[in-house]
């Protein structure tokens, strides 16, 4: 009341605005596998093998450039066993990324991208891939972000030869 006498208005409670961004639901391990596994692929070239992830429903695959080094055409196997041929559309050896197009008109499951700028040291992550060039079921390894080095992450997830190109996802399967 004294403040009002001095011409100061009392602080009114403001209504909290609701954030229009939907809250993501944290997934358990089996839900993460169910969500991501259909978009993980096994890539074979004449010189070796690796992993990749489908990034668009029309069949674009992101992998590491070293997985498809020296190749134009590759063989791609989906986690459910279907096999397709693929064409390397481009690669950047400096950042070690490549894009492959699956040669099919089929619609594919794809990964959902998250916001890696929000990833912090200690966050739980999960690596998918086909280690040691072994076809069959997709490998799933748990770990954490050990540290961030510029735009790159170091993880405690086991990454073996052949896992290259596979996704590293968060607890929301992104």
């Amino acid at each position: 009341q004294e403040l009002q006498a001095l011409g100061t208005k009392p602080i009114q409670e403001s209504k909290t605005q609701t954030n229009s961004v939907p809250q993501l639901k944290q997934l358990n391990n089996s839900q993460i596998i169910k969500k991501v596994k259909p978009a993980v692929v096994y890539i074979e070239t004449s010189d070796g093998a690796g992993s990749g992830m489908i990034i668009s429903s029309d069949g674009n695959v992101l992998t590491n450039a070293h997985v498809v080094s020296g190749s134009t055409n590759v063989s791609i196997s989906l986690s459910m066993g279907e096999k397709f041929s693929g064409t390397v559309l481009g690669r950047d050896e400096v950042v070690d990324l490549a894009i492959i197009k699956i040669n099919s008109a089929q619609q594919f499951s794809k990964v959902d991208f998250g916001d890696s700028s929000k990833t912090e040291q200690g966050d739980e992550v999960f690596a998918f891939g086909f280690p040691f060039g072994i076809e069959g079921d997709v490998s799933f390894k748990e770990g954490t972000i050990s540290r961030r080095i510029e735009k790159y992450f170091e993880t405690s997830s086991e990454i073996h030869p052949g896992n290259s190109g596979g996704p590293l996802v968060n607890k929301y399967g992104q």
Side-chain angles (χ1 to χ4, degrees):
Q1 290 176 345
E2 290 176 288
L3 292 176
Q4 284 178 334
L6 295 171
T8 306
K9 295 181 180 177
I11 299 172
Q12 295 181 358
E13 287 185 35
S14 63
K15 293 182 180 176
T16 304
Q17 293 181 346
T18 56
N19 192 347
S20 61
V21 177
Q23 292 291 354
L24 295 174
K25 179 183 175 216
Q26 184 172 330
L27 305 176
N28 65 38
N29 289 4
S30 62
Q31 291 169 323
I32 293 168
I33 292 167
K34 189 174 186 178
K35 179 179 180 181
V36 177
K37 181 177 174 177
V40 181
V41 300
Y42 175 73
I43 302 166
E44 264 187 301
T45 70
S46 57
D47 295 327
S51 303
M53 59 188 135
I54 301 172
I55 59 170
S56 67
S57 58
D58 63 348
N60 286 310
V61 174
L62 179 65
T63 189
N64 289 118
H66 70 266
V67 170
V68 295
S69 181
S71 298
T72 305
N73 298 305
V74 299
S75 175
I76 297 176
S77 299
L78 304 183
S79 61
M80 300 307 289
E82 292 178 274
K83 293 184 184 257
F84 297 91
S85 63
T87 304
V88 177
L89 298 180
R91 67 180 136 247
D92 184 330
E93 305 292 341
V94 175
V95 292
D96 195 23
L97 293 176
I99 298 287
I100 301 167
K101 173 70 170 120
I102 299 174
N103 299 327
S104 173
Q106 179 177 326
Q107 293 294 297
F108 299 93
S109 295
K110 65 182 187 69
V111 294
D112 292 330
F113 283 97
D115 183 352
S116 61
S117 70
K118 295 180 180 175
T119 303
E120 297 180 0
Q121 187 177 30
D123 283 353
E124 190 172 20
V125 291
F126 309 91
F128 286 81
F130 293 91
F132 308 112
I134 301 171
E135 280 189 87
D137 208 358
V138 175
S139 173
F140 174 81
K141 298 289 187 178
E142 299 176 75
T144 59
I145 296 298
S146 302
R147 65 180 171 161
R148 189 180 197 121
I149 307 166
E150 296 177 14
K151 295 180 182 181
Y152 299 95
F153 298 120
E154 178 184 309
T155 180
S156 64
S157 289
E158 290 181 49
I159 307 292
H160 299 290
N163 276 103
S164 291
L168 183 68
V169 303
N170 62 18
K171 60 189 171 189
Y172 307 110
Q174 301 174 313

